[in-house]
Amino acid sequence: MITLGSLGFSGPYLAPLWSPTKTAGLYAVLVPGWKLMTFRALYFGQAETLDTDILKSHSRLAEWRTIAGTEWNLYIATHEMSFSSPSQREAAARELARSYKPGFKPVDEKEQPSLRTMMLAQAMRQSHDK
């Protein structure tokens, strides 16, 4: 269990090994943080059905892999919202992103990693290489 914003999320789970429940809800894409057992959210999204395809088919997957250094450093956490409407999930994801301030922010309808996120990712990769 992990708390992001004011919501409790299941996980985090290693993305390549994640086997989700097939329900509607929110999801967060995470990378390991600076301290042991801490995580940094890169992205918040919502899905009608939480399944492994939401990550595999996401347009930002390559950028998340770049930040994480490898697919095995990507994690996912979920917050089930079984009987919610798409607009309720969208509103909850927007509010969560607004309060948490994830590493990816919309810019001209495209999501670009912030300079801070890229610098953190580079520093993390360099510290792992030493």
Side-chain angles (χ1 to χ4, degrees), residues 3-95:
T3 302
L4 300 170
S6 61
L7 298 175
F9 280 70
S10 298
Y13 307 103
L14 260 173
L17 303 177
W18 177 50
S19 57
T21 57
K22 305 281 186 198
T23 62
L26 303 177
Y27 65 94
V29 178
L30 309 163
V31 292
W34 290 100
K35 296 180 183 175
L36 186 62
M37 298 305 294
T38 61
F39 294 88
R40 170 88 172 124
L42 298 177
Y43 180 82
F44 294 107
Q46 64 89 20
E48 178 111 13
T49 304
L50 295 169
D51 63 20
T52 56
D53 289 338
I54 61 176
L55 285 184
K56 291 176 184 174
S57 63
H58 201 282
S59 62
R60 297 289 149 225
L61 180 60
E63 291 172 64
W64 298 337
R65 283 185 186 143
T66 300
I67 291 168
T70 175
E71 187 171 324
W72 291 95
N73 271 343
L74 279 178
Y75 290 80
I76 189 163
T78 59
H79 176 78
E80 293 182 14
M81 296 177 69
S82 298
F83 299 104
S84 61
S85 68
S87 60
Q88 288 171 319
R89 290 189 305 275
E90 195 63 46
R94 273 194 314 271
E95 179 57 34

